[in-house]
């Protein structure tokens, strides 16, 4: 669901960069963590993607609990002559 947020038509990329899970071999992990980065040119597109990520929080049918936490943020970059 996270990777599916990427939308080339809206210049939005969502990159799942790191995935960590479990603490021992041969057991169902009791915890997993995914780190990602999103980029967009338009602030509204980036804000909508963040809302979509936040909507994934909560309990799943499989009994897992998903927590979404933003660790940092960089504003959308619309570009322009001053930064080209």
């Amino acid at each position: 669901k996270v990777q599916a947020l990427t939308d080339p038509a809206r210049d939005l990329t969502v990159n799942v960069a790191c995935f960590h899970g479990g603490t021992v071999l041969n057991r169902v992990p009791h915890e997993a963590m995914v780190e990602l980065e999103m980029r967009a040119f338009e602030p509204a597109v980036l804000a909508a993607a963040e809302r979509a990520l936040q909507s994934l929080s909560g309990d799943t049918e499989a009994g897992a609990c998903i927590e979404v936490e933003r660790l940092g943020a960089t504003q959308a970059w619309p570009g322009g002559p001053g930064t080209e």
Side-chain angles (χ1 to χ4, degrees), residues 16-66:
V16 176
C18 295
F19 184 88
H20 308 276
T23 55
V24 296
L25 297 175
N26 201 26
R27 290 199 186 147
V28 174
H30 66 282
E31 180 177 271
M33 183 175 78
V34 174
E35 295 180 80
L36 60 92
E37 179 185 37
M38 298 188 307
R39 293 183 185 212
F41 292 109
E42 297 296 325
V45 171
L46 198 57
E50 182 174 352
R51 285 191 301 275
L53 281 172
Q54 291 293 340
S55 75
L56 298 175
S57 291
D59 295 332
T60 69
E61 292 179 17
C65 177
I66 297 176

Side-chain angles (χ1 to χ4, degrees), residues 1 6 8 45 48 75 80 83:
K1 290 180 180 181
T6 292
V45 171
Q75 294 181 353
T83 56

